[in-house]
Amino acid sequence: MALERVDAAAAMGALAARWRAAGARVGFVPTMGALHAGHRSLIQAARAECDRVVVSVFVNPRQFGPDEDLDRYPRTLDADLRLAGEAGADAAFVPKVEAVYPPGFATTVSVSGLTEGLCGASRPGHFDGVATVVARLFGIVGPCRAYFGQKDYQQVAVVRRMVADLALPVAVVSCPIVREPDGLAMSSRNRYLDADTRRRAAAVPRALEAGAARVAAGEHDPERVLGVMRALLEAAGGRVDYVAAVNAETLRAVARVGMGDVLLVAVRFGGTRLIDNRVLS
Ligand code: AMP
């Protein structure tokens, strides 16, 4: 079936309401566009589990800091609509900023605790922007299931917390990280990398791999594990924002790292900030 593009919030809400009234399970995949195989995997997961699938393409200004890449964030709408349709989406919600934040919009959703460390520490306000837009999009679309990538580990944790705290009637599904052949996690921001930086960025998954290997070999001291990771990233020319070993639920740093914990990385290569993570299993 052809993909239906919807721009207005009211029209999106009405379409999803018609589907729900007909008994359909509505799946939802929020994105900022520049879609790649990672996004495709989310759409396919939604397609497999739901009767109707909505993908949103919205570069959310509220989750960018003043010195971040909002203006140059890649926008590839025609290709996005093609990919979304081919992956099995029924509708693409492509709102303008005013449709998401109409005049008078005055609410901020702020999840405390989980948002203070990791990306929250270097991107103040970022997770307020994420939680607010996701809550608003959930309100418009009314999905019964929403699909997120484990790539943004902290984001999924924040959305889960928000959904639980606000008793929103939606199941949050976390999907595995889709990677390039050399292991680099797919990201819309990978487009910023020139050939040399792109090669060096493969140190990110290698660092996570090396950290996980240390733990598997019996090293439980986070400082040592993280030291190995940091050294690999810096040797590749990366400027480390953070390397962390945290509890999978609380996202608090662990004193002893072991199975079930998560290793996370944020690192800059050139002007591009990359994040990745690995759950130790
Ligand atoms: P974004 O467009 O970057 O905001 O991402 C939209 C959704 O796609 C988020 O839930 C991301 O976690 C997810 N996503 C981004 N990259 C990947 C990837 N490489 N594998 C799986 N999911 C991803």
Side-chain angles (χ1 to χ4, degrees), residues 30-32 36 38-39 42 148-149 151-152 155 176-178 186:
T31 83
M32 297 207 300
H36 50 66
H39 299 109
L42 269 49
F148 294 84
K151 154 96 182 342
D152 298 272
Q155 172 171 283
I177 304 174
V178 176
M186 294 209 173

Side-chain angles (χ1 to χ4, degrees), residues 52-223:
R52 298 287 187 169
V53 175
V54 178
V55 178
S56 63
V57 175
F58 178 62
V59 182
N60 174 33
R62 291 190 181 218
Q63 69 189 71
F64 288 79
D67 299 326
E68 294 185 356
D69 56 343
L70 174 62
D71 292 336
R72 69 176 188 129
Y73 197 83
R75 287 162 170 88
T76 60
L77 186 58
D78 291 342
D80 293 348
L81 296 177
R82 248 191 329 274
L83 185 152
E86 284 166 10
D90 297 291
F93 180 41
V94 189
K96 294 216 173 5
V97 173
E98 312 81 70
V100 177
Y101 304 115
F105 188 94
T107 297
T108 298
V109 180
S110 191
V111 176
S112 59
L114 291 172
T115 55
E116 276 124 43
L118 304 171
C119 288
S122 42
R123 305 186 70 189
H126 170 69
F127 287 112
D128 284 2
V130 169
T132 302
V133 80
V134 170
R136 167 102 174 129
L137 291 170
F138 282 0
I140 293 169
V141 175
C144 66
R145 297 172 77 79
Y147 295 79
F148 294 84
Q150 188 207 306
K151 154 96 182 342
D152 298 272
Y153 193 93
Q154 191 175 14
Q155 172 171 283
V156 186
V158 169
V159 170
R160 279 193 199 287
R161 184 76 256 162
M162 173 187 80
V163 162
D165 290 356
L166 301 182
L168 302 180
V170 53
V172 174
V173 182
S174 173
C175 299
I177 304 174
V178 176
R179 298 179 178 280
E180 301 281 1
D182 66 353
L184 183 67
M186 294 209 173
S187 164
S188 305
R189 290 190 167 95
N190 291 352
R191 292 167 197 247
Y192 299 150
L193 303 170
D194 63 31
D196 171 55
T197 321
R198 169 65 190 79
R199 263 193 307 278
R200 291 189 287 117
V204 177
R206 276 208 312 274
L208 288 165
E209 175 87 48
R214 279 298 167 107
V215 179
E219 178 62 77
H220 296 291
D221 178 353
E223 286 316 311

Side-chain angles (χ1 to χ4, degrees), residues 224-246:
R224 293 210 182 148
V225 173
L226 299 176
V228 168
M229 294 168 56
R230 183 181 287 276
L232 277 168
L233 293 166
E234 287 175 349
R239 280 184 298 125
V240 174
D241 178 356
Y242 63 76
V243 287
V246 306

